[in-house]
Amino acid sequence: MAKTASTPGGSGKASGAQKEKDAPPPPPEPLRVPVADSHTHLDMQSGTVEEALAKAASVGVTTVVQVGCDLAGSRWAAETAAAHESVWATVALHPNEAPRIVLGDPDGWSRQGAREPGGDAALDAALDRIAALAALPQVRGVGETGLDYFRTGPEGMAAQERSFRRHIAIAKEHGKALVIHDREAHDDVLRVLTEEGAPDTVVFHCYSGDAAMAKICAERGYYMSFAGNITFKNAQPLRDALAVAPLDLVLVETDAPFLTPVPYRGRPNAPYLIPLTLRAMAEVKGVPEDTLATAVAANTARVFGY
């Protein structure tokens, strides 16, 4: 970010604007029917886990699913779920993590810092460790895995697909839900699921497809989890998808600290903001808030087996 010139009054105004952007949004009106945040990253949020859980519970978000994106994060997810009754874990290598392991990460973009290329052997070794974590009882899902063609170019696609296929096998081996990250890769994600044979439970996290894809997911019994971007002005295709998604296949999530719902877009997201997204979803579905909350609460418990 470019620095603001230090003119009289200018730096103060810029500082005030930045402080507002960094400030957590106020708590929304509590939900009457408790729900779960089906996908969050507590390890990327400010404050303690205990503070985040208490704040979420105060507005009716009584369960959270902590999602792993790399080895360190997956271990942390499993440890945090073991330590907190209201937290469940998923473990995986994010689609963008697999190419970094295979091809190297000289810029240190990921949280592991700069890394040398490890090839397929290093990826397979990392996946073995994910498989071991997936066997733990507090780990209820394998993800987020899948394909991401937004951040990873053609050179990384083979590593992503190799990783995705192994995650599918791990989910089936341990009877855990498969949590999918699908960014600009809809056709290939659906293709790989068909070729490998999908696990019994599949969740498209932060659903990003259109209404036509939602119908395909519904036919296959795949769950669709919607995040705060359902509230964005340019997200009509997501709202169209939600409109046709069966109520018994819908989840709600934050993907916090990302995708903060309107009117707080751009500020830090956290599980306590789930009510904003759920209310927007209820409006799209044309059902009462309590009806949707009851459905997503039951769906999330069914998906993650708690």
Side-chain angles (χ1 to χ4, degrees):
M1 182 185 296
K3 293 184 179 179
T4 304
S6 56
T7 54
S11 61
K13 290 172 74 174
S15 175
Q18 187 61 45
K19 284 182 179 179
E20 181 180 356
K21 185 177 180 182
D22 293 342
E29 179 184 345
L31 296 168
R32 291 180 294 270
V33 176
V35 301
D37 180 351
S38 72
H39 190 112
T40 196
H41 302 283
L42 295 170
D43 51 331
M44 302 180 192
Q45 300 167 37
S46 61
T48 67
V49 171
E50 290 75 17
E51 289 167 345
L53 296 177
K55 199 170 184 179
S58 74
V59 297
V61 182
T62 54
T63 304
V64 303
V65 180
Q66 168 63 25
V67 175
C69 291
D70 51 31
L71 282 175
S74 293
R75 283 194 296 266
W76 190 90
E79 292 166 359
T80 301
H84 298 276
E85 188 176 350
S86 61
V87 180
W88 300 101
T90 75
V91 298
L93 305 178
H94 190 282
N96 292 324
E97 175 71 1
R100 294 184 198 121
I101 294 173
V102 174
L103 303 175
D105 185 19
D107 298 325
W109 188 85
S110 74
R111 293 184 296 168
Q112 264 76 37
R115 283 177 284 176
E116 295 296 320
D120 288 343
L123 178 59
D124 290 343
L127 288 165
D128 287 344
R129 294 163 75 183
I130 292 295
L133 290 169
L136 297 172
Q138 72 271 27
V139 174
R140 298 302 173 93
V142 175
E144 57 188 280
T145 181
L147 302 173
D148 186 323
Y149 295 165
F150 178 76
R151 292 197 182 279
T152 298
E155 73 284 351
M157 289 181 181
Q160 283 197 357
E161 191 163 317
R162 182 186 183 93
S163 179
F164 184 25
R165 290 178 186 274
R166 178 70 189 282
H167 280 90
I168 292 172
I170 293 169
K172 290 194 287 189
E173 178 186 354
H174 295 290
K176 306 290 172 78
L178 182 73
V179 179
I180 291 179
H181 170 105
D182 164 28
R183 191 166 187 186
E184 300 186 5
H186 309 319
D187 290 345
D188 282 349
V189 166
L190 292 173
R191 171 182 58 81
V192 172
L193 284 171
T194 298
E195 290 173 356
E196 293 295 318
D200 291 339
T201 305
V202 173
V203 179
F204 276 79
H205 125 74
C206 189
Y207 182 83
S208 60
D210 59 11
M213 181 173 164
K215 291 177 181 178
I216 293 172
C217 289
E219 290 169 0
R220 298 184 181 185
Y222 299 161
Y223 291 83
M224 291 159 272
S225 183
F226 292 86
N229 56 342
I230 195 85
T231 68
F232 294 177
K233 184 177 180 180
N234 64 348
Q236 190 57 45
L238 290 183
R239 291 186 284 273
D240 293 343
L242 173 59
V244 302
L247 205 56
D248 62 350
L249 292 177
V250 170
L251 307 180
V252 64
E253 66 173 87
T254 57
D255 198 21
F258 314 107
L259 301 177
T260 311
V262 171
Y264 304 110
R265 184 178 182 180
R267 291 170 68 176
N269 201 4
Y272 77 92
L273 294 174
I274 277 283
L276 297 176
T277 300
L278 186 130
R279 288 177 179 129
M281 291 171 61
E283 186 174 341
V284 170
K285 293 294 289 178
V287 299
E289 172 190 317
D290 290 359
T291 300
L292 182 60
T294 299
V296 299
N299 296 344
T300 316
R302 184 165 61 251
V303 165
F304 294 108
Y306 61 82

